[in-house]
Amino acid sequence: MIRFIGLCIFLGLFLILSIPVFFVEWIIGKFNPRARDISSLRIVQWAFSMMLWIAGTRITYIGEENIPDGPVLYVGNHRSFFDIPITYTRCKDLTGFVSKKEMEKFPLLVTWMRYLYCLFLDREDIRAGLKTILQAIEHVKNGISIFIFPEGTRNKGEELSLLPFHEGSFKIADKTGCPIIPVSINNTNQIFEAHFPRVEKQHIVVEYGNPIYMKDMDKETRKKIGVYCHDIIEETIKRNANLL
């Protein structure tokens, strides 16, 4: 419980102390939007790094050299709230996460998310969902990477299992030509969700796969790109379970 309490205190203090920082970032953005974007990215990455330190998380990252320069579409499996801090701390440049619409209800947190080009997906409204995907396409065209969890929600099933991937997520890569980076994440649910409300020290493995370019695929594979990426990630997390 000590780690859980520590995380709650840190997050609360960070969000409260962020209020004047928002004003400073707003002023910076008026003169240099790129500088504002990068400073916001680094501030949030620092906060996430502190949260992982408090949680006692040890992380092995594999394959970061596979991430090319320029905007990409990251697709990963999703089992924990910690998936975002663990992956976001390693983003080299601007990256917006696609999150559920309910996250907009959290004041201050949502401000940071909007500063960092995160998008909010309404899973119950198909038209709104399409609009979110179109916004993501525009972000990629403007040089901002997108990170999405194509399972659509946190997977609470058996360890090393994945939910089916939603094919619509991959329109971002299809319409922009950006590479897809499969991200395989092992053991994050054991930090918190598996024994709520305790936060426990864990070893996490994150592997970035080789970039996938849809333009290089045959027509049939392109149609089932979700299945293709799903299988890559599933195979990788099963292999990496031996590293824990």
Side-chain angles (χ1 to χ4, degrees), residues 15 18-27 108-109 111-112 115:
L15 292 176
S18 289
I19 295 173
V21 177
F22 291 143
F23 180 66
V24 173
E25 292 290 86
W26 178 78
I27 293 175
L108 302 181
L109 178 61
T111 304
W112 277 119
Y115 267 18

Side-chain angles (χ1 to χ4, degrees), residues 118-179:
C118 292
L119 299 170
F120 302 93
L121 181 65
D122 187 341
R123 295 172 292 186
E124 306 299 324
D125 187 330
I126 295 177
R127 182 175 294 181
L130 177 59
K131 184 177 179 181
T132 301
I133 296 299
L134 292 175
Q135 288 176 319
I137 290 170
E138 286 304 308
H139 280 354
V140 172
K141 289 180 178 179
N142 290 326
I144 301 164
S145 295
I146 293 293
F147 201 122
I148 195 165
F149 299 109
E151 291 169 287
T153 187
R154 281 184 298 120
N155 178 10
K156 301 174 184 178
E158 295 181 5
E159 190 72 25
L160 306 182
S161 68
L162 274 72
L163 299 174
F165 280 9
H166 295 284
E167 295 286 342
S169 308
F170 296 89
K171 290 186 180 296
I172 300 167
D174 189 27
K175 298 298 183 181
T176 62
C178 76

Side-chain angles (χ1 to χ4, degrees), residues 73-142:
L73 175 65
Y74 296 100
V75 295
N77 58 305
H78 190 27
R79 293 186 63 86
S80 172
F81 294 119
F82 280 86
D83 293 335
I84 294 175
I86 285 169
T87 52
Y88 204 69
T89 55
R90 309 299 283 199
C91 292
K92 296 184 291 185
D93 209 332
L94 295 176
T95 303
F97 273 73
V98 177
S99 181
K100 59 184 179 181
K101 186 175 176 62
E102 288 78 3
M103 292 301 295
E104 290 185 295
K105 298 177 182 178
F106 294 94
L108 302 181
L109 178 61
V110 71
T111 304
W112 277 119
M113 294 178 74
R114 287 176 176 149
Y115 267 18
L116 296 171
Y117 299 95
C118 292
L119 299 170
F120 302 93
L121 181 65
D122 187 341
R123 295 172 292 186
E124 306 299 324
D125 187 330
I126 295 177
R127 182 175 294 181
L130 177 59
K131 184 177 179 181
T132 301
I133 296 299
L134 292 175
Q135 288 176 319
I137 290 170
E138 286 304 308
H139 280 354
V140 172
K141 289 180 178 179
N142 290 326

